[in-house]
Amino acid sequence: RGDACERWAAAGDGDDLPAAGGRPCYRAADYVSAAAAVLARLRARLPPSSPLAGREPVLLLASDSPRAEHEVREAMRSSGAMAGVRLLAVASPRGEAWGGVEEGANVGKRRAAAKRGFIEARNAAGLVNRTANFAALSSDLRLLSASHGFVGTAASWTSRLALLAITGERGALPPFVMLDRPLGQLWFAGKS
């Protein structure tokens, strides 16, 4: 979640509203359901002699949302398929390193006003600590590269990088789910 999938206010003349078919946001339950499907595929592939057989599965969560860990824990509690799965969350909170804009700051704003708070605009104004943000991204990729499966969105560059990092470490494409669309069929495809 973040700038790229926020919904803007519905008031206005239409020029400052998000385009139909814009980048959607997904609920924690959507991610947990997809993670359960990936875990089922991994378990089906796992030979009994594997060192992973019998080990407690761990769901790694990398997010800049301060609410993500709580929301995912709640979704996991509601999902019988995730019983016995431990959640390991790495928080990269927004704040000063992001140019001082908290999550959800753009909700309810018209597009023009919301765009002023986007990370691209904050970066152009020199408000983003690029070193801290790159360090957070690098840490997330390092952690996620040890994964055996992946859930993300194809429209997210971070998701694509994480899937590539896992693939590089494993030497093969892991089981994965892109919640929005398959790679190559991105939300912005076909727009001029």
Side-chain angles (χ1 to χ4, degrees), residues 10-79:
D13 60 9
D15 287 338
D16 50 23
L17 296 178
R23 184 172 172 184
C25 297
Y26 295 93
R27 299 170 304 131
D30 298 326
Y31 284 91
V32 169
S33 176
V38 168
L39 179 59
R41 277 188 261 157
L42 286 167
R43 285 180 168 154
R45 288 184 183 179
L46 199 62
S49 60
S50 169
L52 295 175
R55 287 180 55 192
E56 174 188 43
V58 177
L59 177 63
L60 302 174
L61 172 65
S63 177
D64 64 0
S65 170
R67 298 186 311 241
E69 181 177 2
H70 171 75
E71 291 173 3
V72 168
R73 265 189 213 290
E74 290 301 312
M76 287 175 70
R77 281 190 192 114
S78 300
S79 172

Side-chain angles (χ1 to χ4, degrees), residues 7-179:
R7 298 290 181 219
W8 296 286
D13 60 9
D15 287 338
D16 50 23
L17 296 178
R23 184 172 172 184
C25 297
Y26 295 93
R27 299 170 304 131
D30 298 326
Y31 284 91
V32 169
S33 176
V38 168
L39 179 59
R41 277 188 261 157
L42 286 167
R43 285 180 168 154
R45 288 184 183 179
L46 199 62
S49 60
S50 169
L52 295 175
R55 287 180 55 192
E56 174 188 43
V58 177
L59 177 63
L60 302 174
L61 172 65
S63 177
D64 64 0
S65 170
R67 298 186 311 241
E69 181 177 2
H70 171 75
E71 291 173 3
V72 168
R73 265 189 213 290
E74 290 301 312
M76 287 175 70
R77 281 190 192 114
S78 300
S79 172
M82 296 301 281
V85 176
R86 184 168 54 103
L87 176 64
L88 174 60
V90 177
S92 298
R94 291 176 178 235
E96 289 306 312
W98 285 80
V101 176
E102 295 299 320
E103 179 180 42
N106 292 325
V107 174
K109 291 184 179 177
R110 297 173 98 168
R111 183 184 295 218
K115 279 187 160 185
R116 288 191 290 275
F118 280 14
I119 195 165
E120 295 85 357
R122 296 190 314 265
N123 184 47
L127 299 174
V128 174
N129 181 335
R130 289 182 269 176
T131 303
N133 279 290
F134 182 73
L137 173 63
S138 296
S139 296
D140 287 347
L141 292 176
R142 174 104 184 189
L143 173 68
L144 293 171
S145 70
S147 299
H148 295 273
F150 183 75
V151 175
T153 59
S156 164
W157 280 103
T158 302
S159 287
R160 293 188 225 170
L161 285 171
L163 184 58
L164 287 171
I166 297 165
T167 301
E169 287 296 315
R170 299 270 158 245
L173 190 64
F176 72 95
V177 171
M178 293 299 190
L179 292 173

